[in-house]
Amino acid sequence: MAGPRELDGSSLLLGAATASFQIEGATTTDGRGPSIWDTFCGRPGAIRDGSDGDPACGSYERLTEDLDLVRDLGVDAYRFSIAWPRVQPEGSGAANPAGLDYYERVVDGLLERDLIPLPTLYHWDLPQPLEDAGGWPVRDTAERLAEYAALVADRLGDRVGWWSTLNEPWCSAFLGYAAGVHAPGRRDGDVAFAAAHHLLLGHALAAEAVRAAAPAAKVGIVLNLAPVWPDGDGAEAGAAYVDAVQNGIWLGALVDGRYPAVLAALADPALVREGDLALIKGTADWIGINYYTPFRIGAPGEGGSELATMAYPGAPPLRFLPREPRTEMGWEVVPAGLEDVLVTTARRAPGLPLLVTENGSAYADGTRAPDGSVQDDDRIAYLQGHLAATRRMRDAGVDVRAYIAWTLLDNFEWSYGYTKKFGLVEVEPGTLRRIPKASYRYYAQLAAAARR
Ligand code: IFM
């Protein structure tokens, strides 16, 4: 096999992704402190099946096995996240050496297998003490992210080239603080806008900290951008507002140093201080796009969703109108939506390389192959359609450098617990035995063909 390929744009790299809280388990091992997700899971009714992050996939104890699974998949890169509460159990102060040691083993294990490590510093597991001090709505949390980023980059900066600061800050801010369906489960729209701003500030400060430790680092941010399509007469205003919150906040601040004018909360000088936007502007070397589905927004009327409206504070009553076919999440399957978001982002963020950092589908296990493994033809079709869409956009000139499948393993799907399965590999409940699905074998064939 050839050596590791580069994220230099000369070819489309393939990868697989996971996130710490969703796979690791071991939530009290080696000095890890509690995160907001540990706390949120303890809230009655917060998680559909009443589960939590232990044992998840037990990956903390099964690191070698999981890295071998990625190697055997034959992809180029592995995207994972670093658990802040393992590195800084209190969310501030000195590092917990065992936490850094663990992620060093992850990175070294990837490099030994010729895999590119793509770490994300923050995939939602805020140390609980920081939430107790106010969480993302408080400005100090941004400074704390930078302090944590410096600790990680000091240790790993000589081996990691491409970093991302945040995963899907829209979820952290608006599902966490407005709709309350993610940790920490608060419901206050104004507070959510404050969280959004401080997440962006945290990104900017963390990027600076990573570059201070590793001057050649490429530091990006991972956004769940979505095409927002008005569906029918009278739908434009709602769609434009959703677009502003879902896409405009992040790209506006990062690229133009401006928030969408329609979002009054982000025009408050007590929140967005002089110089903040200048600090945020231009701090992303690349943009990661997590794409699953487009949003079709209908005119306000019957069948609106209160929860969805809460996730876009200040929006008119919203109706999301997904069509068929849909995944088990109820998300419409539209590969053309990925083309749309790639082209739109390339236009909005000229000159920035794009990586599809997540794309995948939840389906029930369905049929089994004769050897007992999951025969997930629907997931294969989803993967095939979206990878083809990515390649089409590359051929059309979009600088998209990677396609990273979500996700390696069936895992803890946040408020859905273990009821939704996105994995290329099944994780048998109880034994935690890994059983590759047909989609894993299919993706391995694609990866092998891409390397020939
Ligand atoms: O599981 C999540 C992941 O953590 C972030 N992006 C979306 C995935 C599927 O919901």
Side-chain angles (χ1 to χ4, degrees):
M1 186 188 283
R5 300 197 295 169
E6 300 284 332
L7 267 165
D8 57 7
S10 57
S11 58
L12 182 77
L13 300 199
L14 301 182
T18 61
S20 48
F21 191 77
Q22 294 181 271
I23 65 162
E24 287 178 357
T27 55
T28 55
T29 304
D30 290 342
R32 179 190 180 278
S35 77
I36 54 173
W37 272 94
D38 297 288
T39 308
F40 188 64
C41 289
R43 187 191 278 195
I47 310 298
R48 188 171 285 198
D49 57 3
S51 62
D52 57 30
D54 246 327
C57 306
S59 290
Y60 189 79
E61 316 286 356
R62 290 168 179 74
L63 178 60
T64 305
E65 184 180 356
D66 287 347
L67 294 180
D68 285 349
L69 272 174
V70 186
R71 180 202 56 206
D72 295 348
L73 189 54
V75 290
D76 307 292
Y78 180 56
R79 176 172 177 252
F80 62 99
S81 79
I82 297 176
W84 188 349
R86 286 197 195 284
V87 174
Q88 276 184 314
E90 295 294 322
S92 59
N96 167 30
L100 285 176
D101 290 351
Y102 177 70
Y103 293 106
E104 184 163 67
R105 288 200 295 281
V106 175
V107 168
D108 288 348
L110 289 167
L111 295 174
E112 279 158 19
R113 291 166 178 79
D114 275 348
L115 291 159
I116 300 171
L118 291 176
T120 299
L121 288 165
Y122 182 70
H123 196 127
W124 307 351
D125 36 9
L126 187 72
Q128 183 60 40
L130 292 184
E131 178 58 27
D132 296 341
W136 285 111
V138 165
R139 196 175 170 96
D140 182 63
T141 305
E143 307 273 355
R144 300 282 66 76
L145 182 78
E147 184 186 68
Y148 152 67
L151 294 173
V152 179
D154 277 344
R155 178 67 83 91
L156 301 176
D158 59 340
R159 278 157 283 178
V160 171
W162 288 60
W163 296 78
S164 59
T165 53
L166 308 176
N167 180 73
E168 301 182 2
W170 176 81
C171 295
S172 301
F174 293 98
L175 295 183
Y177 291 92
V181 295
H182 275 195
R186 291 166 64 181
R187 289 192 166 174
D188 181 331
D190 285 341
V191 153
F193 281 112
H197 179 60
H198 296 142
L199 281 153
L200 278 164
L201 205 57
H203 152 80
L205 297 173
E208 203 175 285
V210 172
R211 290 187 187 108
K218 299 278 186 208
V219 190
I221 185 169
V222 171
L223 304 171
N224 52 333
L225 303 174
V228 185
W229 296 333
D231 194 344
D233 289 345
E236 283 76 12
Y241 197 89
V242 168
D243 182 54
V245 177
Q246 191 75 44
N247 306 314
I249 290 182
W250 321 101
L251 292 176
L254 290 160
V255 178
D256 310 319
R258 238 190 346 254
Y259 284 128
V262 69
L263 304 175
L266 290 173
D268 178 358
L271 170 64
V272 182
R273 296 190 194 161
E274 177 130 27
D276 282 2
L277 283 164
L279 193 81
I280 295 166
K281 181 179 175 179
T283 49
D285 294 325
W286 56 276
I287 304 284
I289 298 177
N290 291 356
Y291 169 81
Y292 291 86
T293 190
F295 298 162
R296 294 184 200 275
I297 308 291
E302 294 270 301
S305 155
E306 204 187 325
L307 212 58
T309 306
M310 284 170 74
Y312 299 89
L318 293 174
R319 285 194 307 148
F320 283 73
L321 303 175
R323 300 181 187 167
E324 299 296 338
R326 302 190 215 173
T327 68
E328 284 281 305
M329 299 296 283
W331 298 345
E332 182 182 348
V333 179
V334 189
L338 180 52
E339 298 186 16
D340 182 324
V341 83
L342 283 168
V343 168
T344 310
T345 311
R347 212 178 46 229
R348 285 287 285 108
L352 292 188
L354 306 180
L355 276 64
V356 177
T357 33
E358 281 182 29
N359 174 250
S361 54
Y363 286 108
D365 284 347
T367 56
R368 300 250 164 197
D371 67 357
S373 65
V374 173
Q375 183 64 44
D376 50 346
D377 295 328
D378 30 22
R379 185 171 292 101
I380 288 175
Y382 186 100
L383 175 58
Q384 191 267 333
H386 288 80
L387 182 53
T390 308
R391 290 207 162 111
R392 273 196 298 279
M393 291 306 94
R394 221 184 117 76
D395 293 345
V398 174
D399 183 12
V400 51
R401 300 197 179 179
Y403 172 91
I404 300 174
W406 184 266
T407 176
L408 182 68
L409 305 167
D410 284 343
N411 62 41
F412 179 79
E413 178 53 26
W414 308 111
S415 58
Y416 294 90
Y418 298 94
T419 64
K420 302 292 180 208
K421 300 178 175 187
F422 282 87
L424 300 169
V425 175
E426 179 183 10
V427 177
E428 191 174 67
T431 66
L432 304 183
R433 190 161 69 96
R434 277 72 169 135
I435 312 167
K437 303 180 189 178
S439 55
Y440 175 96
R441 294 188 287 275
Y442 173 77
Y443 198 33
Q445 281 167 16
L446 295 183
R451 278 179 170 255
R452 279 198 284 272

